[in-house]
């Protein structure tokens, strides 16, 4: 009888440990902050780890297509140059994800979004070289030849997330564009099971210079 009781106690203890481990695994953890990304360089992408806050700037690693004379320049970097574990990346107001998908919600504050959307997510798409007016994705990588026959340089490959890239809209004319962040919360769903809420709050720095992206976020996994 004592042996039987001992075995029962052992089984109860093992179950308690297993259940405790399961609870620890299933309990989500959330990190959050506000970040301002200097994405002023047309030549570079800024890769961001939402957990650690670490960033890394890497040149666009596609060949650059020059719309003026139809030539291409060899890639100045490669994907292997990205050494951080990244979640999202910024190029001016273009955004790409690390194999994730995104959706815009009706919420206007991070706290106001209490449940993860279950549908409507859009994955990254392949960049189409050339200006948007010519049916391309319009990811400009080199402005130096704009006033010459060479023309503007564009990324010829890679990906962008069209939902997140629409978080900041542009109005007006060249030289006097106004950039306006959406007042909606965006949700990004990652392949590893993590989710992020993003609320874009500014598109310029304190002096009004464009290419600076400020956003508040919460990452949960």
């Amino acid at each position: 009888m004592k042996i039987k009781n001992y075995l029962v106690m052992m089984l109860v203890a093992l179950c308690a440990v297993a259940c405790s481990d399961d609870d620890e695994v299933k309990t989500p953890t959330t990190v959050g902050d506000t970040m301002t990304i200097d994405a002023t360089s047309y030549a570079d992408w800024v890769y961001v780890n939402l957990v650690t806050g670490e960033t890394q700037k890497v040149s666009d690693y596609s060949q650059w297509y020059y719309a003026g004379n139809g030539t291409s320049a060899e890639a100045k970097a490669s994907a292997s140059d990205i050494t951080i574990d990244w979640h999202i990346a910024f190029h001016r107001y273009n955004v790409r994800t690390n194999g994730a998908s995104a959706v815009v919600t009706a919420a206007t504050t991070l706290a106001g979004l209490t449940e993860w959307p279950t549908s409507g997510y859009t994955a990254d798409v392949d960049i189409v070289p050339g200006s948007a007016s010519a049916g391309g994705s319009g990811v400009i990588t080199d402005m130096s030849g704009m006033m010459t026959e060479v023309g503007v340089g564009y990324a010829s490959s890679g990906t962008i997330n069209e939902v997140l890239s629409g978080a900041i809209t542009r109005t007006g004319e060249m030289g006097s564009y106004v950039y306006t962040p959406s007042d909606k919360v965006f949700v990004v769903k990652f392949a590893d099971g993590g989710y992020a809420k993003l609320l874009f709050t500014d598109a310029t720095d304190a002096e009004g210079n464009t290419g600076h992206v400020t956003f508040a976020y919460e990452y949960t996994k």
Side-chain angles (χ1 to χ4, degrees), residues 128-174:
V128 178
S131 67
S133 61
S137 303
V139 178
I140 298 173
T141 53
D142 188 359
M143 294 283 284
S144 63
M146 181 174 62
M147 304 303 293
T148 72
E149 64 178 12
V150 175
V152 173
Y154 294 89
S156 63
S157 62
T159 63
I160 59 171
N161 188 283
E162 294 179 330
V163 172
L164 293 174
S165 296
I168 295 175
T169 58
R170 184 181 73 182
T171 56
E173 299 178 352
M174 184 176 292

Side-chain angles (χ1 to χ4, degrees), residues 66-86:
Y66 289 86
N69 60 8
T71 60
S72 296
E74 290 301 316
K76 296 175 173 58
S78 68
S80 62
D81 293 323
I82 307 168
T83 58
I84 70 169
D85 183 14
W86 64 282

Side-chain angles (χ1 to χ4, degrees), residues 113-135:
L113 184 70
T114 57
E115 294 183 357
W116 301 119
T118 58
S119 62
Y121 290 92
T122 299
D124 290 18
V125 298
D126 291 334
I127 288 172
V128 178
S131 67
S133 61

Side-chain angles (χ1 to χ4, degrees), residues 29 43 45 50 54 70 94-95 121 150 155 187 194 209:
T29 57
W45 286 84
L50 295 175
E54 185 180 8
N94 305 122
V95 185
Y121 290 92
V150 175
V187 171
N209 298 309

Side-chain angles (χ1 to χ4, degrees), residues 92-95 104 162-173 176-184 186 200-204 210-213:
R92 299 289 292 182
Y93 302 118
N94 305 122
V95 185
V104 60
E162 294 179 330
V163 172
L164 293 174
S165 296
I168 295 175
T169 58
R170 184 181 73 182
T171 56
E173 299 178 352
S176 59
Y177 287 130
V178 175
Y179 294 89
T180 306
S182 171
D183 63 350
K184 304 300 183 183
F186 292 75
F200 294 83
T201 57
D202 209 343
T204 62
T210 63
H212 297 264
V213 182

Side-chain angles (χ1 to χ4, degrees), residues 185-209:
V185 175
F186 292 75
V187 171
V188 186
K189 179 172 63 174
F190 298 95
D192 64 1
Y195 284 84
K197 305 177 188 178
L198 303 175
L199 180 61
F200 294 83
T201 57
D202 209 343
T204 62
D205 65 7
E207 287 73 42
N209 298 309

